[in-house]
Structures are given as structure tokens and as C-alpha cells.
């Protein structure tokens, strides 16, 4: 039998949190840890304990063997799969039903949007795209997030909207 590697498991749980758009505060509450503890784990100064690993295994519907794998398999539509899996579990479903992190929205939806990748979009259009999924982010939050994701997104130009100059954001290819 393969030995358990808590570093790999921790890395995989963090990857699952991010790829499913789970807010760190919500996940910390789920595993009954503080956000400070989760921040230490993200900075590689701590690892998840057995109780947290078991809760994560249950929440993400992954076995310990899967979590211990150096190359964990994450389904393309894992967030929606989790919603379906946990539809009868109020504690888990309420967590997955919440608006996902902006990083998730950008990475898994905006950067896969054909118009955004080919022509670019202004913040108002991005906001409407996210609202079509039921996710409400403020325009300033979206704008700040575009700037923070400069490795994947750039300002491809500007446009005049209602007398104001606005940036057109586009995916870096």
C-alpha cells in the first residue's frame, strides 16, 4: 500500500477548494478551523490534520487514495457535480450554492468565454456574464480582479461608454 503523504493531500485539497470556487472562510468553517489556520496552510506553514482531511474527502466526494494522488483528477464541471451530489445535505449544499470566489469565476468561466478571449469585454459586460450564472460582483471588484490577474488578462484598449473612458479587458493567449 502507498503511504499517506499529508503534503500531497493538503496541496490537492487546496486545489479542490480553488477549482470549485469555495471561499476560504467558508471552508475553514466547514473543517472547524480558523481562517488564520487556513492561511498558514496556504503559505505551506501547516498541513491539514486527519479530521480536516476526512471532512474534505466527504465534501469533495474524493477518497483518501484520490486525495493522496500526485495528479488528482478533477472533473471539468466539478462544482455542478458537487451541487448535485450534496443536494440533500444542507450543510454542504449551502456552501456550494454560495457565489464562488472571483478567481473561480475568472478562471473557469471568463477565461473560457469565446468573446472575452477573442474581442475582449468591458467590466459592465463581464458583470452581466457573471450575473447570468447568478453571481453578483460589484463593478469595482471585477475591475480590481482584472488588474490582479495580469498574468492571464490585459487591457486591450479603451472605449467611451456614457461619456466615460472604460478599459476593454481581454485574455492573454
Amino acid at each position: 500500500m502507498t503511504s499517506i503523504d499529508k503534503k500531497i493531500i493538503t496541496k490537492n485539497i487546496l486545489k479542490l477548494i480553488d477549482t470549485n470556487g469555495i471561499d476560504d472562510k467558508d471552508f475553514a468553517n466547514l473543517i472547524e478551523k480558523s481562517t488564520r489556520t487556513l492561511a498558514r496552510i496556504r503559505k505551506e506553514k501547516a498541513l491539514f490534520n486527519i479530521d480536516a482531511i476526512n471532512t474534505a474527502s466527504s465534501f469533495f466526494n474524493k477518497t483518501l487514495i484520490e486525495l493522496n494522488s500526485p495528479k488528482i483528477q478533477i472533473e471539468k464541471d466539478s462544482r455542478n457535480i458537487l451541487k448535485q451530489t450534496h443536494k440533500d445535505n444542507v450543510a454542504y449544499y449551502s456552501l456550494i450554492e454560495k457565489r464562488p470566489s472571483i478567481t473561480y469565476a475568472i478562471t473557469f468561466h471568463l477565461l473560457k468565454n469565446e468573446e472575452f478571449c477573442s474581442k475582449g469585454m468591458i467590466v459592465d459586460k463581464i458583470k452581466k456574464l457573471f450575473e447570468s450564472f447568478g453571481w453578483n460582483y460589484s463593478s469595482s471588484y471585477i475591475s480590481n480582479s482584472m488588474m490582479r490577474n495580469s498574468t492571464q488578462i490585459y487591457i486591450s484598449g479603451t472605449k467611451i461608454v456614457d461619456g466615460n473612458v472604460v478599459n476593454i479587458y481581454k485574455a492573454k493567449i
Side-chain angles (χ1 to χ4, degrees):
M1 181 177 160
T2 308
S3 64
I4 300 300
D5 188 331
K6 284 175 71 175
K7 281 186 180 182
I8 289 173
I9 293 171
T10 295
K11 183 181 122 215
N12 285 335
I13 291 171
L14 293 173
K15 188 174 184 179
L16 286 162
I17 292 168
D18 295 340
T19 58
N20 285 287
I22 307 301
D23 183 76
D24 279 0
K25 181 181 176 184
D26 291 332
F27 192 76
N29 286 335
L30 179 71
I31 62 170
E32 300 178 351
K33 300 292 179 195
S34 68
T35 53
R36 175 179 257 164
T37 298
L38 191 53
R40 287 180 36 79
I41 291 169
R42 282 208 180 270
K43 292 177 184 173
E44 299 180 1
K45 294 184 179 187
L47 299 171
F48 287 111
N49 65 19
I50 293 299
D51 289 336
I53 291 168
N54 286 334
T55 301
S57 173
S58 174
F59 178 74
F60 291 114
N61 201 25
K62 298 288 182 190
T63 65
L64 185 56
I65 293 168
E66 289 173 301
L67 290 175
N68 196 43
S69 172
K71 292 190 179 189
I72 191 167
Q73 294 293 319
I74 300 175
E75 298 81 7
K76 184 178 181 186
D77 199 18
S78 62
R79 184 178 174 87
N80 286 330
I81 292 168
L82 286 178
K83 278 184 181 180
Q84 189 61 33
T85 301
H86 297 312
K87 67 182 178 209
D88 296 326
N89 182 332
V90 176
Y92 287 178
Y93 187 80
S94 63
L95 209 158
I96 200 74
E97 183 60 17
K98 284 184 171 186
R99 177 187 79 180
S101 65
I102 189 80
T103 303
Y104 170 87
I106 291 168
T107 304
F108 295 98
H109 291 278
L110 185 61
L111 290 171
K112 295 186 186 318
N113 180 279
E114 187 178 326
E115 180 182 351
F116 182 76
C117 292
S118 63
K119 298 177 187 174
M121 292 180 178
I122 62 173
V123 168
D124 189 52
K125 184 109 180 189
I126 296 168
K127 183 174 173 50
K128 286 179 177 144
L129 173 69
F130 290 156
E131 286 172 350
S132 75
F133 296 110
W135 309 330
N136 187 19
Y137 303 101
S138 71
S139 295
S140 60
Y141 189 46
I142 292 169
S143 181
N144 287 334
S145 297
M146 295 295 106
M147 300 308 283
R148 280 195 315 268
N149 283 285
S150 61
T151 58
Q152 298 173 298
I153 298 168
Y154 73 103
I155 299 170
S156 66
T158 58
K159 181 178 182 177
I160 305 289
V161 177
D162 297 330
N164 297 312
V165 177
V166 296
N167 292 329
I168 300 170
Y169 297 98
K170 189 175 178 184
K172 288 183 179 176
I173 298 176

